[in-house]
Amino acid sequence: MTIFLAGCGSSDIATVKNASLPDVQTHTYESALSGRASCESEEWRTFKDDSNRPSVEYRCVLKGAPALMASMRTRRINETNKEFQNYYQAFDQRIEEAKRSPAEEADRAKQAQQKLAQIEAEETKANQQFAHENPISAMRRAAIRNEMGSLASARSIAERSQAAASDTASNLERNLASLRSEKERYERDEKNTLTEIERSFGNVTKVTQVFQWVVNDKKVFPNWAGIEIQKQDGATVRTSRNWTMTIRDLLHHRGDDHVHYALDIPADVTPGQFQTAEIAEKTSSSVHVHEAENSKEACYDNKLKGFKSGMGDDAPVSNDMMQEWRNQCGLPPT
């Protein structure tokens, strides 16, 4: 239990104030800590720590800290929302693609079967012509092309396309469940991140920088340095800081720059800096429209690539097929 001492301990306070910094002998603790522009108010006091040792505490209420932390809260929320919205849009796109996939694979299998039937008809006609000229050569030719030629390739493509269509159809619900489960995990992560942001930066009423020393026989021993954050609900959050690094920074930065350092907030964050909901909504809407158009074009490109992959780069694409793809991907007809 910490016990603060009133009306006594001034000698211990003076001892601490007059003690030289361990690493900078030209400064005392008083010259290093007192009189800073970063402090709204300052206080020195004595107390007994949990081990009943005489101790001294210096407290500096950091100027503008609540407003600065409110700006940091808004910034972190905006960044988090943007990051997770990108994830959700990607998941939604993958889910829609998974839903369309069985029909697309079935269409691709149908096209492969049609291509196979076309090649088979052409091969049959060619074999018949060769058979009239040289039956033995015609049989050899048919056997070779059946194993190695365009007919064999078309048959292999048709078989693979049919297998892919069957697998996609049978695995649809499992794939959708997996995608939705993964999206739900991201939603939980977002909720936890926002909760942590609120815990760290939300509803702050006062921030105090604290240094504590133990005094023993006129000798001064640094004991603890950190930040105390007071919330609107009366709760106090204490966070430790590196003693040496904090002292070193405040020797060179006496104003708002040290407040940023003490709170671990980037220098480009300023009090009152935030993005209004209206601007955020317009920006988000613009981004969503742009990304939606890109998604539609990507959908069409994927269908074209899939067709070329299955039928060959030189395979003709009918206008009716292209218009059907554009309709499926939400694009206007050409």
Side-chain angles (χ1 to χ4, degrees):
M1 178 178 65
T2 301
I3 302 175
F4 288 97
L5 306 178
C8 62
S10 58
S11 175
D12 286 342
I13 292 176
T15 298
V16 172
K17 285 183 174 182
N18 294 327
S20 297
L21 301 183
D23 299 326
V24 186
Q25 296 295 314
T26 56
H27 269 288
T28 64
Y29 281 115
E30 182 174 29
S31 67
L33 297 174
S34 298
R36 290 180 286 146
S38 56
C39 296
E40 183 177 303
S41 63
E42 299 176 85
E43 179 185 6
W44 293 83
R45 57 185 176 181
T46 58
F47 68 99
K48 294 282 189 178
D49 68 5
D50 293 339
S51 299
N52 202 36
R53 298 177 299 180
S55 303
V56 172
E57 181 177 75
Y58 166 81
R59 303 176 67 84
C60 156
V61 177
L62 294 174
K63 188 179 298 183
L68 187 62
M69 295 189 75
S71 292
M72 188 61 186
R73 170 184 173 273
T74 303
R75 173 168 169 170
R76 289 285 306 278
I77 289 175
N78 288 342
E79 292 174 344
T80 299
N81 287 339
K82 182 178 179 180
E83 178 183 3
F84 279 91
Q85 282 304 314
N86 289 337
Y87 292 145
Y88 299 148
Q89 289 165 15
F91 274 117
D92 290 341
Q93 181 177 342
R94 289 170 62 189
I95 289 172
E96 289 305 312
E97 289 174 350
K99 290 178 179 179
R100 294 194 302 265
S101 187
E104 293 172 353
E105 292 292 345
D107 184 54
R108 194 171 294 123
K110 180 180 178 181
Q111 294 171 22
Q113 287 293 339
Q114 291 173 346
K115 181 68 173 180
L116 174 60
Q118 177 187 343
I119 293 176
E120 285 178 336
E122 293 172 352
E123 288 294 320
T124 299
K125 183 177 180 180
N127 288 336
Q128 289 173 349
Q129 292 175 349
F130 274 103
H132 288 298
E133 300 172 4
N134 189 329
I136 296 177
S137 296
M139 292 177 60
R140 291 175 179 171
R141 177 185 179 279
I144 292 173
R145 294 180 69 82
N146 188 55
E147 295 295 329
M148 302 176 59
S150 59
L151 179 59
S153 176
R155 185 176 292 116
S156 175
I157 291 173
E159 291 173 352
R160 292 200 305 269
S161 298
Q162 186 58 51
S166 299
D167 289 343
T168 303
S170 62
N171 293 328
L172 175 61
E173 292 304 322
R174 184 176 64 181
N175 291 339
L176 288 176
S178 177
L179 287 170
R180 289 167 179 152
S181 176
E182 192 173 357
K183 183 179 179 182
E184 289 172 359
R185 180 175 65 82
Y186 273 86
E187 289 171 345
R188 291 193 296 271
D189 288 345
E190 181 188 23
K191 182 179 179 181
N192 292 337
T193 300
L194 292 173
T195 299
E196 180 60 25
I197 291 172
E198 199 64 30
R199 188 193 72 81
S200 300
F201 302 103
N203 301 315
V204 175
T205 58
K206 184 170 73 172
V207 181
T208 305
Q209 186 176 49
V210 180
F211 290 89
Q212 295 178 348
W213 301 262
V214 172
V215 181
N216 184 12
D217 193 24
K218 298 299 181 179
K219 293 181 180 179
V220 176
F221 303 94
N223 189 32
W224 188 82
I227 298 294
E228 283 187 2
I229 301 174
Q230 291 184 323
K231 301 294 193 79
Q232 286 181 356
D233 61 3
T236 299
V237 180
R238 287 169 59 93
T239 305
S240 298
R241 291 288 189 266
N242 181 279
W243 180 288
T244 302
M245 297 297 294
T246 303
I247 289 290
R248 186 177 300 168
D249 184 82
L250 63 80
L251 287 176
H252 301 286
H253 306 106
R254 313 288 286 179
D256 292 341
D257 44 4
H258 180 68
V259 178
H260 281 79
Y261 174 86
L263 299 179
D264 195 22
I265 291 178
D268 62 341
V269 177
T270 58
Q273 177 191 47
F274 61 92
Q275 185 180 37
T276 65
E278 180 180 0
I279 294 175
E281 183 177 352
K282 289 181 179 179
T283 301
S284 177
S285 176
S286 174
V287 170
H288 291 174
V289 169
H290 179 68
E291 291 179 344
E293 291 302 320
N294 287 343
S295 175
K296 293 175 182 178
E297 293 291 346
C299 168
Y300 178 81
D301 290 342
N302 286 336
K303 287 181 178 295
L304 182 59
K305 289 177 181 178
F307 177 82
K308 294 288 187 181
S309 175
M311 305 304 295
D313 291 337
D314 297 330
V317 184
S318 68
N319 183 64
D320 289 342
M321 187 175 294
M322 287 191 292
Q323 298 308 319
E324 181 182 352
W325 290 343
R326 293 184 68 85
N327 181 60
Q328 292 175 353
C329 293
L331 291 170
T334 56

